[in-house]
Amino acid sequence: MTNLYSSTHPKSLAIADLGCSSGPNTRLASPEYQVFLNDLPGNDFNTIFRSLPGFQERMKKQLEGGTGPLFFTGVPGSFYGRLFPTNSLHFVYSSYSLQWLSKVPNGLEGNKGNIYMAGGSPPSVLKAYYDQFQRDFSSFLTCRSEELVTGCRMALAILGRRSQDPSSKECCYIWELLAMAVKEMCMRAVAEPLLIGHFGFGEAIIDDVFRRYKAIIADRMGKGKTEFVNVVVAMTKKG
Ligand SMILES: C[S@@+](CC[C@H](N)C(=O)[O-])C[C@H]1O[C@@H](n2cnc3c(N)ncnc32)[C@H](O)[C@@H]1O
């Protein structure tokens, strides 16, 4: 950031956090700063805005001599389209957001029973995800190259994998956990009326059955490997 400022000398440094979410990791620690917090329009921007005074206080304490004024702006919209005027940003940052595709890929019909790339997914399904990511990432890079000032930078933190296998547990584990939760809900929707109808089980017993089921899942998850591979890419816009 220091290098960027001393090489470009902007009146104010414009920073964008793309896919900021609404949690505590949201703000990027960073003379005069203009910080744009972007996420999809449905994001809970109120939670971020409410947390800003506390964040600014902490920044003042952490940075000896303080910092120049910080101006925050919420930017609702998809980072797969243009979000900012041409040549207006000095630094773009995005962490753990680019694994969200712009849409569910076409051609997932053969992915029976899965909500992600699983071991048993046919090659056509893996290709459908790959092609969608390529289209989305190209749109992302095209838009950011128009928005960044020449010589300025972008850092992306992305969930990655060491394995050659696109459906490896390394990157698909979080989706496996989500799929378990969905399956649990589906099972409950189907099984509950059957159990009550056939065996006369009351609500309390059904709840107990599903509490046990949750414990079994928690036990399996505890034994699984929960290490994630992070890929960090830093880029500079050439003239
Ligand atoms: C896992 S959170 C990352 C939060 C934060 N950046 C962090 O590192 O803790 C991913 C965020 O990306 C947002 N997101 C997904 N697709 C997006 C898109 N097309 N445009 C903008 N934000 C998007 C989601 O709404 C979500 O808040």
Side-chain angles (χ1 to χ4, degrees), residues 21-90:
S21 187
S22 53
N25 290 343
T26 282
R27 296 137 323 250
L28 177 71
S30 50
E32 198 171 278
Y33 293 96
Q34 227 184 331
V35 181
F36 297 102
L37 300 172
N38 155 258
D39 209 294
L40 291 169
N43 185 52
D44 181 3
F45 283 95
N46 282 343
T47 298
I48 308 181
F49 294 157
R50 272 197 287 268
S51 71
L52 291 178
F55 168 72
Q56 285 177 287
E57 275 307 305
R58 286 197 301 280
M59 282 278 287
K60 263 193 210 149
K61 282 187 193 144
Q62 274 173 25
L63 296 176
E64 280 173 31
T67 152
L70 282 162
F71 303 104
F72 290 95
T73 308
V75 179
S78 171
F79 49 52
Y80 292 123
R82 284 289 300 271
L83 293 166
F84 304 96
T86 306
N87 295 334
S88 62
L89 297 176
H90 300 101

Side-chain angles (χ1 to χ4, degrees), residues 16-206:
D17 180 357
L18 307 183
C20 63
S21 187
S22 53
N25 290 343
T26 282
R27 296 137 323 250
L28 177 71
S30 50
E32 198 171 278
Y33 293 96
Q34 227 184 331
V35 181
F36 297 102
L37 300 172
N38 155 258
D39 209 294
L40 291 169
N43 185 52
D44 181 3
F45 283 95
N46 282 343
T47 298
I48 308 181
F49 294 157
R50 272 197 287 268
S51 71
L52 291 178
F55 168 72
Q56 285 177 287
E57 275 307 305
R58 286 197 301 280
M59 282 278 287
K60 263 193 210 149
K61 282 187 193 144
Q62 274 173 25
L63 296 176
E64 280 173 31
T67 152
L70 282 162
F71 303 104
F72 290 95
T73 308
V75 179
S78 171
F79 49 52
Y80 292 123
R82 284 289 300 271
L83 293 166
F84 304 96
T86 306
N87 295 334
S88 62
L89 297 176
H90 300 101
F91 185 70
V92 170
Y93 167 79
S94 180
S95 70
Y96 307 109
S97 300
L98 279 157
Q99 67 266 34
W100 261 261
L101 300 175
S102 66
K103 64 191 271 286
V104 176
N106 297 325
L108 297 188
E109 295 77 21
N111 205 19
K112 298 268 181 298
N114 297 312
I115 60 163
Y116 61 104
M117 292 185 286
S121 300
S124 61
V125 166
L126 306 188
K127 185 170 180 327
Y129 276 104
Y130 180 79
D131 289 348
Q132 187 62 47
F133 178 77
Q134 283 229 315
R135 277 194 294 277
D136 284 346
F137 197 49
S138 295
S139 306
F140 180 88
L141 292 177
T142 303
C143 294
R144 302 300 81 79
S145 71
E146 289 163 9
E147 294 165 353
L148 267 169
V149 174
T150 301
C152 291
R153 301 181 196 173
M154 175 158 80
L156 308 175
I158 312 169
L159 205 54
R161 60 181 151 82
R162 289 190 192 91
S163 162
Q164 291 285 319
D165 173 12
S167 66
S168 97
K169 229 180 165 185
E170 276 179 306
C171 53
C172 294
Y173 192 55
I174 48 173
W175 308 125
E176 195 173 315
L177 302 187
L178 181 62
M180 278 181 187
V182 172
K183 276 183 190 158
E184 182 188 343
M185 284 167 67
C186 295
M187 262 186 71
R188 184 169 184 153
V190 173
E192 194 171 300
L194 287 175
L195 292 174
I196 293 173
H198 286 270
F199 303 106
F201 283 178
E203 276 279 322
I205 292 176
I206 297 287

